[in-house]
Amino acid sequence: MKFRTIVDIPKANFEIPPCEEMLFVGSCFADNIGQRFEQEQFRVTVNPFGVMYNPISIFHTIEKLPVNTMFSVAILTLGTNHIYRLKETNEVVDNCAKRPQSLFREEEMSVDECAEYLLKSINLLRDKNPDVKVILTVSPIRYAKYGFHGSQLSKATLLLAISQVISQSTHSENIIYFPAYEIINDELRDYRFYKEDMLHPSDQAVEYIYQRFSETFFGKETFRFLKEWKPIKEALGHRPFHPDSEEHRLFVKKTWQMIHELALKYPTLPIVTKNKDFET
């Protein structure tokens, strides 16, 4: 007997190597997943200009990236097709900055409009790196303020736009959809996988999605690195009872020796490159 449906996710046609340079842009779900990758020593940039929910705002973030910024992998997480225009200028704002709601006009982007701005974002990323791998996903976070039917319509619009982008792109081999939305709604469809607001995925659900993501995009080299990094990560998270003791000093010395040895294998290890005083 089967008591849940497992979302079938085929292995991706590319792999994400250890310490890869990655960009995460999108809803707060992008923040959650991006932080998980940061913990595992990938070189990540997560929502550098704040959380972005719709395709136009995601495009604005990529448009504002420094000219010399280049990523090997970009994960764009769409939250909604709703946008807000400042009535005075008619511009789409990424953040209302706590200004009165009366100053803005809410609109819904069509499937074609969402697809258009997704393609613009992908093309900007490709201008910086023609070989960039783009992973598109839809945030499983529900928007109660639209009503649950309205929230589903918004997600459906985004899903259709992603399908359109992949089918029409001349570089579709480097663009892939990851079903985070379906994992929550079809595989983990139980309120125990939500936070107390019953809208956001729980930490356990985010961790499960990360595991499914790793199964899809990681190869043997990355899993080997993660196995070597795990005891170091656990050691760095250790909170000593006696931080001034000789025992703890030796523990710290041993930990940094482990990092040194790992850095010899992986020179772009972020914990090393961010510590200017550390010599490999």
Side-chain angles (χ1 to χ4, degrees):
M1 297 176 67
K2 292 184 178 181
F3 293 97
R4 65 186 181 122
T5 53
I6 303 297
V7 177
D8 182 36
I9 310 174
K11 191 73 174 176
N13 61 347
F14 61 85
E15 295 180 351
I16 301 175
C19 307
E20 186 66 290
E21 194 84 43
M22 302 177 68
L23 173 69
F24 292 81
V25 180
S27 72
C28 47
F29 182 71
D31 276 352
N32 294 335
I33 293 295
Q35 289 165 9
R36 249 333 249 110
F37 274 80
E38 186 174 26
Q39 292 169 13
E40 302 300 348
Q41 291 298 291
F42 291 89
R43 291 174 293 156
V44 302
T45 298
V46 183
N47 280 331
F49 306 109
V51 174
M52 301 292 159
Y53 295 98
N54 62 74
I56 293 180
S57 293
I58 288 174
F59 170 72
H60 287 165
T61 287
I62 295 173
E63 193 177 33
K64 288 189 289 186
L65 289 172
V67 176
N68 61 347
T69 305
M70 187 176 76
F71 299 95
S72 297
V73 180
I75 293 88
L76 309 183
T77 301
L78 306 176
T80 177
N81 69 327
H82 288 237
I83 60 174
Y84 291 87
R85 291 188 184 275
L86 185 62
K87 292 178 181 178
E88 183 180 359
T89 63
N90 205 41
E91 69 171 317
V92 175
V93 297
D94 302 325
N95 190 313
C96 294
K98 297 183 179 180
R99 289 174 288 181
Q101 187 175 353
S102 59
L103 298 178
F104 303 93
R105 181 175 66 254
E106 184 176 4
E107 298 177 5
E108 294 180 39
M109 298 177 68
S110 67
V111 171
D112 288 342
E113 289 171 332
C114 290
E116 176 190 354
Y117 276 91
L118 274 178
L119 282 171
K120 284 184 177 181
S121 295
I122 293 169
N123 288 336
L124 280 180
L125 291 167
R126 291 194 71 255
D127 287 342
K128 298 173 182 291
N129 178 11
D131 296 320
V132 65
K133 307 299 188 293
V134 179
I135 301 169
L136 302 174
T137 188
V138 171
S139 169
I141 297 169
R142 300 184 298 167
Y143 291 90
K145 64 181 180 180
Y146 303 156
F148 291 117
H149 178 62
S151 179
Q152 290 286 67
L153 290 176
S154 176
K155 302 294 186 183
T157 300
L158 299 173
L159 290 166
L160 287 169
I162 289 173
S163 179
Q164 183 172 307
V165 166
I166 294 174
S167 65
Q168 294 182 359
S169 175
T170 56
H171 302 278
S172 58
E173 71 279 2
N174 287 341
I175 307 172
I176 193 168
Y177 173 69
F178 179 75
Y181 179 77
E182 289 80 357
I183 289 172
I184 287 290
N185 287 278
D186 294 316
E187 188 171 336
L188 304 181
R189 46 182 171 181
D190 190 303
Y191 281 112
R192 66 195 169 104
F193 294 113
Y194 284 86
K195 291 185 176 180
E196 291 181 358
D197 64 3
M198 296 299 157
L199 301 174
H200 292 75
S202 67
D203 293 343
Q204 186 181 34
V206 172
E207 179 62 24
Y208 181 75
I209 292 173
Y210 169 79
Q211 290 178 10
R212 296 299 309 274
F213 191 100
S214 65
E215 292 167 2
T216 305
F217 295 101
F218 294 172
K220 291 181 180 180
E221 182 189 7
T222 304
F223 283 120
R224 184 166 55 248
F225 166 80
L226 293 174
K227 185 177 180 179
E228 293 181 76
W229 166 247
K230 183 178 179 182
I232 300 174
K233 181 175 69 171
E234 291 173 348
L236 292 171
H238 175 68
R239 295 292 178 267
F241 288 110
H242 305 288
D244 298 325
S245 67
E246 178 66 12
E247 181 183 10
H248 179 64
R249 188 187 69 79
L250 292 174
F251 175 80
V252 171
K253 183 178 179 180
K254 180 182 177 181
T255 299
W256 279 103
Q257 180 59 34
M258 292 167 64
I259 294 172
H260 173 86
E261 292 172 1
L262 191 61
L264 292 176
K265 297 181 183 179
Y266 305 96
T268 57
L269 191 70
I271 196 171
V272 172
T273 57
K274 290 178 182 177
N275 188 333
K276 297 179 181 179
D277 298 325
F278 186 79
E279 295 291 340
T280 57

